[in-house]
Amino acid sequence: MSAPVLLVIAHGSRDPRHAATVHALVRRVRSLRPDVRVETGFLDFNVPSVQGVLESLETEGVRDVVALPLLLTRAFHAKADIPAVLADAPPRLRIRQAEVLGPSPLLLSALERRLYEAGLTPADKSSTGVVLASAGSSDPEAIAVIAEIAREWRHTGWCAVRPAFASASLPRTEDAVRELRELGCARVAVAPYVLAPGFLPDRIARGAAGADVLADVLGPSPEVARVLLERYGAARVPVLAAVGA
């Protein structure tokens, strides 16, 4: 029996860098699991749409799909938008929605990879304060998750770690940078906890003007690709169990 199709569901953006980064990440996932068919669908702004991909898969005779939200926190898109789109899928498709990507120790590894690529070294950790800069959300659960990630990351040896948000919540990146300066950290780094470039990541970058180091977005890092496959693996088991029932 063939493995369920992995449908990566991205938000979409008017910024062409967003889709380019999503496609690069999907290519990395395919390279890690050439035995799994991986498709990409967008909720808005970009094509193909999620609905269009699902209809094409049904036409081809595909029956089992794992829909994976390309999201770092479980907020509105994961709780409402994506389930609504999947509810309108062709009825012959058996679809299971995978969990969002975060939190995961692999994502912390990806954040550190980006900071080291931006010029830091492991020896800098104890004297460096880090701003964990996320897109932001009005969902209290998502905000609490970001705050908990910052607390956990601090215990790995950084001088301090502070969460910040580009929208909906406070503090902003520039405020967190200022707080870490006042705390006495020798240097301040900003680590964008976002997957792809776009409007809000650009706002994070502007807020990082007073920092010493600005890391790149997570993008198609190998750790992110591995998280996708972990979520796929966890979600496909009930799908296969249902098929064999």
Side-chain angles (χ1 to χ4, degrees), residues 30-90:
R30 287 176 179 144
S31 72
L32 293 174
R33 285 293 302 275
D35 59 312
V36 174
R37 179 176 176 180
V38 187
E39 300 291 343
T40 309
F42 295 90
L43 292 173
D44 205 356
F45 301 116
N46 302 106
V47 292
S49 68
V50 175
Q51 189 66 27
V53 174
L54 291 172
E55 290 172 356
S56 294
L57 291 174
E58 192 271 342
T59 299
E60 292 178 31
V62 170
R63 290 295 173 262
D64 298 299
V65 177
V66 170
L68 194 154
L70 198 60
L71 302 168
L72 294 172
T73 57
R74 191 171 181 273
F76 181 78
H77 293 305
K79 294 177 179 179
D81 282 355
I82 292 174
V85 172
L86 297 180
D88 288 335

Side-chain angles (χ1 to χ4, degrees), residues 84-123:
V85 172
L86 297 180
D88 288 335
R92 282 187 289 181
L93 288 177
R94 291 177 292 234
I95 303 174
R96 184 168 181 86
Q97 182 175 329
E99 291 296 326
V100 297
L101 303 185
S104 167
L106 284 169
L107 295 178
L108 286 182
S109 297
L111 287 166
E112 294 204 356
R113 169 193 290 274
R114 293 305 189 217
L115 285 170
Y116 297 151
E117 289 171 349
L120 292 179
T121 70

